[in-house]
DNA sequence: GTAGGGTTAG
C-alpha cells in the first residue's frame, strides 16, 4: 500500500495495529500515526493502548491514554483492561474510579475488567458491589464468567454456585472456571461431580478443563482416578497432555508419596521440565521429608529461575540443618551477588470496605497494640489446648522468622486476629497473602477455628485454605 | 461500506 503511494487513514491504522508482534513494529507504526496527525482518533487511540498493553508496555499505554484530547468509553475500557490483564488491579481500579468521575457509565467490558481486578486482589466485597451492576446486563456470557471466577478466587463458592446455576448460557470457560475453582478451594469431589455433569450436558472439555480435573484428583489424593484421566485424555477428549498436565500428575504422585514414579515421569514426559515441574516435586519432598531429593529439585529450580528467593532460603535451611555451613554460605553469597531478597510476608484483609495490610515487622497499624495483646491471649489459650509452635523449618522457605517469638508475628496471624476483633463471629475471615503460609500459621488457624467457632479462608499465591472446625480444606498438603 | 475494548490454567 505504501509502495503504491496510497496514504493510510485511521481505518487502516486501527486495523493494522492489531497485527503488531513486537515493540519495534509498534513504535514504527506509532510514529507514522503521529506524522499523519491521526493520534487523536479514538479508534486509533484505543487500538494503540490495547496493543501496548498486550505487549506489556503499560507505561506507553498510559502515555497514549493520558494525552486526553479525545476519549470515549472504549478508550477507557482499553486502558482499564490493560492494567487488569497485566495483574495491576490497583491501577485498574483507580482508573475505573476516574472513569466514573469523568461521567462515563461502565458497560460489560468495563465491568469484566473491574471484576478481574477484584479477582487478582481478592476483593470480595468490592466484587459484590460490582455484581449489582452486572445484573443490569442480563446474561452476558463473558461478564458472567468473570463474575464466576471472581467469586471462586475470592473463596466464596456459595456465591459462585449461585451465579453458575443461574447462567442460562454456559460455555467451556464457565465449566472450566467452576471446576478449577472448586478444586483450588479444596472441594475436589464437587469438582469431579461437576465434570461429570459437564459431560452429561454434552459440553466438550478443553486443555484447561482437564487441568482442573487433574488438579482436583491430585488434591483429593485420588491417584487412580487422576492417572486414569491423564492416561486416557487423548482417547476420551482428543487432548494431548501438555507440560502442565504432567505437572499435575507429578504433584499427584508426589502427594501420594510415589516419588520414584514422579521422577520417572519427569524423565519420560518428552518436555524439558520447567521450574513449575520441579516445584511440584519439591512440594512432595517437603511433605514426605526427603531432604536429598529436595536439594536436587531446588537446584533444578534455581537453574531455571535464578531469582526465586524462596527456593534459596529453603536450600539454605536444609544445609543449615545438616551443619553444612560452607554450602549455607555459598547459597547466601549467590543470593547477594544476584541481589535476590525475599519479600516480607504480607497479608491483606478487607473489613468494612477498607483494606488493611499487615507486613511482618511493621507495627504501623493503628490497632496494633490491641491486636498483639489479643494474639498473645489466644496463643496462651491455644497452648493450654495442646498447641505447640511449629519451629521445624528445614523444608520451608522461612528466613529470619524462625524463632518461636517471631513466628508469633507472622502477617497472617495479625490479619486473623484483626478480623476476629473487627468482625462478628458469623462472618468468614478472608485473607490474601503474598507468600505461602507456613506450617505454624496453618496449625494456628486450624486450632483457632475449632476453639473460636470461626471460619477462616486464606488465599496464598498458589493454594486456598478453608479452615473450619479444626480442619483445612487443603488436607495439610501445600 | 471500511475500525477499537472483556472470560478459564500457570
Amino acid at each position: 500500500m505504501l509502495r503504491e503511494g496510497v496514504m493510510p487513514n485511521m481505518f487502516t491504522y486501527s486495523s493494522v495495529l492489531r497485527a503488531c508482534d513486537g515493540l519495534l513494529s509498534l513504535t514504527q507504526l506509532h510514529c507514522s500515526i503521529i506524522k499523519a496527525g491521526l493520534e487523536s482518533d479514538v479508534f486509533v487511540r484505543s487500538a494503540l493502548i490495547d496493543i501496548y498493553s498486550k505487549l506489556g508496555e503499560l507505561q506507553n499505554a498510559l502515555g497514549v491514554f493520558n494525552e486526553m484530547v479525545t476519549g470515549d468509553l472504549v478508550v477507557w475500557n482499553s486502558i482499564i483492561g490493560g492494567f487488569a490483564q497485566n495483574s495491576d488491579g490497583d491501577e485498574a481500579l483507580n482508573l475505573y474510579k476516574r472513569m466514573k468521575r469523568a461521567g462515563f457509565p461502565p458497560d460489560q467490558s468495563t465491568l469484566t475488567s473491574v471484576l478481574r481486578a477484584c479477582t487478582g486482589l481478592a476483593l470480595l466485597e468490592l466484587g459484590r458491589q460490582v455484581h449489582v451492576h452486572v445484573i443490569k446486563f442480563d446474561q452476558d456470557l463473558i461478564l458472567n464468567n468473570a463474575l464466576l471466577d471472581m467469586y471462586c478466587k475470592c473463596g466464596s463458592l456459595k456465591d459462585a454456585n449461585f451465579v453458575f446455576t443461574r447462567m442460562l448460557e454456559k460455555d467451556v470457560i464457565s465449566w472450566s472456571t467452576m471446576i478449577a475453582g472448586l478444586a483450588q478451594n479444596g472441594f475436589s469431589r464437587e469438582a469431579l461431580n461437576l465434570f461429570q455433569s459437564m459431560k452429561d450436558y454434552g459440553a466438550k472439555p478443553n486443555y484447561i478443563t482437564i487441568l482442573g480435573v487433574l488438579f482436583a484428583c491430585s488434591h483429593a489424593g485420588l491417584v487412580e482416578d487422576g492417572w486414569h484421566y491423564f492416561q486416557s485424555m487423548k482417547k476420551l477428549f482428543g487432548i494431548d497432555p501438555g507440560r502442565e498436565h504432567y505437572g499435575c500428575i507429578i504433584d499427584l504422585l508426589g502427594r501420594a508419596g510415589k516419588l520414584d514414579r514422579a521422577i520417572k515421569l519427569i524423565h519420560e514426559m518428552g518436555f524439558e521440565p520447567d521450574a513449575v515441574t520441579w516445584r511440584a516435586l519439591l512440594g512432595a519432598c517437603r511433605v514426605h521429608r526427603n531432604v536429598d531429593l529436595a536439594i536436587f529439585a531446588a537446584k533444578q529450580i534455581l537453574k531455571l529461575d535464578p531469582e526465586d528467593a524462596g527456593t534459596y532460603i529453603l536450600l539454605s535451611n536444609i544445609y543449615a540443618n545438616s551443619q553444612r555451613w560452607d554450602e549455607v554460605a555459598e547459597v547466601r553469597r549467590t543470593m547477594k551477588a544476584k541481589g535476590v531478597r525475599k519479600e516480607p510476608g504480607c497479608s491483606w484483609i478487607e473489613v468494612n470496605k477498607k483494606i488493611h495490610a499487615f507486613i511482618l515487622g511493621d507495627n504501623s497499624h493503628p490497632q496494633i497494640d490491641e491486636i498483639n495483646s489479643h494474639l498473645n491471649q489466644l496463643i496462651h489459650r491455644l497452648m493450654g489446648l495442646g498447641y505447640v509452635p511449629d519451629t521445624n523449618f528445614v523444608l520451608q522457605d522461612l528466613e529470619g522468622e524462625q524463632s518461636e517469638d517471631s513466628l508469633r508475628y507472622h502477617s497472617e496471624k495479625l490479619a486473623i486476629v484483626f478480623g476476629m476483633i473487627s468482625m462478628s463471629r458469623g462472618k468468614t475471615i478472608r485473607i490474601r497473602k503474598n507468600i505461602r503460609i507456613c506450617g505454624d500459621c496453618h496449625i494456628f488457624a486450624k486450632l483457632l477455628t475449632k476453639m473460636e467457632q470461626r471460619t477462616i479462608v486464606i488465599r496464598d499465591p498458589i493454594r486456598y485454605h478453608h479452615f473450619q472446625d479444626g480442619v483445612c480444606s487443603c488436607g495439610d498438603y501445600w
Side-chain angles (χ1 to χ4, degrees), chain A residues 379 382-390 407 413 440 443-444 447:
Chain A
I379 290 178
L382 284 171
M383 284 176 143
L385 296 172
Y387 163 63
V388 180
D390 179 3
L407 270 184
K413 289 200 183 78
D440 182 60
I443 295 174
F444 173 82
L447 295 174

Side-chain angles (χ1 to χ4, degrees), chain A residues 283-300:
Chain A
C285 295
R286 193 177 68 74
V287 174
H288 297 288
R289 309 260 172 217
N290 188 325
V291 170
D292 291 334
L293 192 56
I295 292 175
F296 175 72
K299 285 185 173 171
Q300 300 299 320

Side-chain angles (χ1 to χ4, degrees), chain A residues 266-389:
Chain A
I266 292 177
H267 290 120
E268 290 170 358
M269 67 184 186
F271 298 95
E272 271 306 304
D274 65 356
V276 179
T277 315
W278 295 115
R279 279 196 196 97
L281 190 67
L282 184 57
C285 295
R286 193 177 68 74
V287 174
H288 297 288
R289 309 260 172 217
N290 188 325
V291 170
D292 291 334
L293 192 56
I295 292 175
F296 175 72
K299 285 185 173 171
Q300 300 299 320
I301 293 170
L302 292 175
K303 270 188 214 162
L304 296 160
D305 186 2
E307 308 283 300
D308 184 354
T311 301
Y312 284 109
I313 307 286
L314 184 138
L315 197 53
S316 145
N317 287 350
I318 294 175
Y319 288 140
N321 194 58
S322 2
Q323 278 96 48
R324 291 159 70 171
W325 305 115
D326 290 349
E327 282 150 305
V328 171
E330 174 64 30
V331 172
R332 296 287 159 171
R333 262 200 304 278
T334 313
M335 284 183 78
K336 206 167 178 188
K338 291 186 189 295
V340 178
R341 288 187 60 184
K342 189 163 171 266
E343 56 179 326
C346 187
S347 297
W348 293 267
I349 179 168
E350 197 183 11
V351 173
N352 293 331
K353 298 187 181 173
K354 275 188 73 178
I355 297 135
H356 299 254
F358 294 91
I359 307 163
L360 184 78
D362 169 59
N363 289 321
S364 62
H365 193 277
Q367 285 163 266
I368 193 69
D369 291 336
E370 187 188 351
I371 293 167
N372 280 332
S373 109
H374 201 82
L375 175 60
N376 288 333
Q377 287 170 27
L378 282 171
I379 290 178
H380 186 74
R381 284 175 55 211
L382 284 171
M383 284 176 143
L385 296 172
Y387 163 63
V388 180

Side-chain angles (χ1 to χ4, degrees), chain A residues 225-282:
Chain A
D225 297 69
W227 189 254
H228 160 76
Y229 282 125
F230 176 66
Q231 286 283 303
S232 51
M233 56 186 278
K234 173 72 176 162
K235 199 175 80 203
L236 292 176
F237 315 114
I239 299 156
D240 285 310
R243 197 204 302 273
E244 289 139 311
H245 297 105
Y246 277 94
C248 281
I249 293 299
I250 289 158
D251 189 67
L252 176 110
L253 295 171
R255 198 179 272 263
K258 300 176 192 301
L259 295 174
D260 294 343
R261 272 181 74 191
I263 295 164
K264 193 158 166 273
L265 196 65
I266 292 177
H267 290 120
E268 290 170 358
M269 67 184 186
F271 298 95
E272 271 306 304
D274 65 356
V276 179
T277 315
W278 295 115
R279 279 196 196 97
L281 190 67
L282 184 57

Side-chain angles (χ1 to χ4, degrees), chain A residues 43-54:
Chain A
F43 283 81
V44 172
R45 290 186 63 215
S46 58
L48 271 172
I49 292 168
D50 185 52
I51 196 70
Y52 272 123
S53 306
K54 289 207 163 64

Side-chain angles (χ1 to χ4, degrees), chain A residues 92-110:
Chain A
L93 293 177
N94 283 336
L95 285 158
Y96 175 57
K97 278 186 216 151
R98 269 176 68 188
M99 171 181 156
K100 286 198 295 189
R101 274 202 303 272
F104 289 94
D107 71 355
Q108 292 97 315
S109 170
T110 329

Side-chain angles (χ1 to χ4, degrees), chain A residues 51-71:
Chain A
I51 196 70
Y52 272 123
S53 306
K54 289 207 163 64
L55 295 174
E57 299 288 330
L58 272 301
Q59 285 317 307
N60 284 319
L62 204 54
V64 175
F65 176 78
N66 281 331
E67 291 160 14
M68 246 323 184
V69 263
T70 50

